[in-house]
Amino acid sequence: MKVMVGGTFDPLHDGHKQLLGRSFEIAGADGQVTIGLTTDTFASRKVHPIRPFQVRKTELEVFITSSRFPARWQIEPLIDRYGPAIDADFDAIVVSEETIPVAVEINKLRRQKGAKKVDIHQISCVLAEDGRWISSTRIYRGEIDIHGHILH
């Protein structure tokens, strides 16, 4: 199965790792996972600082390689919220609770263009020790670490 997933992945935290792991699980051993990684320009809309694209890409590559997922994979620059998902030939998109509206919109735009609808797989966001979502913003604020442990 051909699967797409996207994000800024900075810093790469346990929620991101669950999202990526689920993407590879859905793809299966003979599948393909395309990871859209936000460009520096697109990521600059975030409220916290973002490390450069190449640094984030390398961190993703190390995680994926060390996880030994059997599916083929590639990382593509994501210049907007949809990336190639409107026109690409793929079967499923994996999103979190936070980003499901984007996936719904992608299917709407695909339908308008006459492209086939893709399956949407939503994962639950990973919770930190305090019961709130692990997020890059919370990590950058110094509230939690990448595993959701409380820092103060």
Side-chain angles (χ1 to χ4, degrees):
M1 183 174 283
K2 294 181 201 165
V3 176
M4 284 194 156
V5 62
T8 301
F9 302 107
D10 188 45
L12 186 63
H13 57 66
D14 286 359
H16 294 137
K17 291 175 181 178
Q18 180 171 302
L19 182 74
L20 292 163
R22 183 70 179 124
S23 299
F24 279 93
E25 184 181 307
I26 292 165
D30 297 325
Q32 166 78 33
V33 176
T34 299
I35 303 148
L37 179 62
T38 58
T39 61
D40 292 338
T41 303
F42 183 44
S44 68
R45 65 183 175 37
K46 296 277 190 180
V47 297
H48 54 77
I50 303 294
R51 292 176 302 157
F53 178 88
Q54 195 55 52
V55 172
R56 294 180 285 124
K57 182 178 180 193
T58 299
E59 190 173 50
L60 272 173
E61 291 168 342
V62 167
F63 169 70
I64 294 166
T65 303
S66 68
S67 297
R68 299 183 182 205
F69 296 119
R72 296 178 320 279
W73 56 276
Q74 63 186 19
I75 299 172
E76 294 185 354
L78 191 59
I79 61 169
D80 61 34
R81 63 190 286 145
Y82 308 121
I86 305 299
D87 301 304
D89 175 29
F90 70 107
D91 306 299
I93 188 167
V94 181
V95 294
S96 68
E97 297 168 61
E98 193 177 30
T99 55
I100 192 154
V102 177
V104 170
E105 197 165 332
I106 284 169
N107 262 341
K108 180 180 169 190
L109 293 167
R110 287 178 67 85
R111 227 177 3 261
Q112 289 171 0
K113 291 186 115 190
K116 72 173 181 161
K117 178 180 161 242
V118 296
D119 293 336
I120 299 171
H121 293 265
Q122 176 191 321
I123 66 152
S124 295
C125 289
V126 176
L127 300 180
E129 288 176 336
D130 62 3
R132 294 172 48 213
W133 289 350
I134 294 176
S135 73
S136 298
T137 301
R138 294 190 68 207
I139 294 166
Y140 271 103
R141 284 185 189 146
E143 296 173 25
I144 58 173
D145 68 12
I146 62 169
H147 304 294
H149 301 297
I150 304 299
L151 295 178
H152 62 273

